[in-house]
Amino acid sequence: MLEIMLSVLIVVGALFTFIGSLGLARLDDFYTRLHGPTKATTLGVGALLIASVLYFSSRGEGLSLHEVLVTLFLFITAPVSAHLLAKAALHLRVRSIAPPPAEAEDPLADTRARAGE
């Protein structure tokens, strides 16, 4: 039973990781490519880490918690790095298939409107 559960988690993790990598390679612009590694790959690595916890915990040496630390690190750093990459691309006016928000076109427009200019 454990082997079946581990196999399913490894296949699901590999599938999500593959989908994330495929999205990184195939999507049109930087902003949509950013979703592949941050969403699907994070889920894929999470499934692989759960499989690792189950495998090493079942070997009789007690509960393996190393993977929990890796998961926490991954779930904290992936969204932060994606946010910083998106902000940098927006600041550098990287081409997008969607129109940029009004704040990106004129970052001081809101300040000027409040000052009455």
Side-chain angles (χ1 to χ4, degrees):
M1 180 66 185
L2 181 65
E3 289 88 14
I4 293 171
M5 191 175 347
L6 291 174
S7 299
V8 168
L9 283 170
I10 289 172
V11 168
V12 167
L15 185 66
F16 272 110
T17 305
F18 175 71
I19 289 170
S21 301
L22 191 64
L24 180 66
R26 300 280 305 179
L27 291 175
D28 291 333
D29 67 345
F30 175 79
Y31 299 102
T32 54
R33 284 183 189 155
L34 196 57
H35 284 282
T38 57
K39 304 277 189 286
T41 306
T42 302
L43 288 174
V45 171
L48 293 173
L49 289 172
I50 291 171
S52 179
V53 166
L54 291 176
Y55 176 74
F56 286 110
S57 294
S58 68
R59 295 182 69 186
E61 298 174 2
L63 186 62
S64 176
L65 295 177
H66 299 102
E67 293 84 359
V68 173
L69 292 175
V70 173
T71 303
L72 281 176
F73 180 75
L74 180 70
F75 284 179
I76 290 172
T77 58
V80 171
S81 63
H83 178 74
L84 291 176
L85 284 171
K87 291 284 281 189
L90 195 60
H91 180 72
L92 294 173
R93 299 178 192 271
V94 173
R95 183 189 67 83
S96 174
I97 56 174
E103 295 85 18
E105 292 294 325
D106 187 9
L108 299 176
D110 201 30
T111 305
R112 275 189 246 140
R114 279 186 263 155
E117 294 179 14

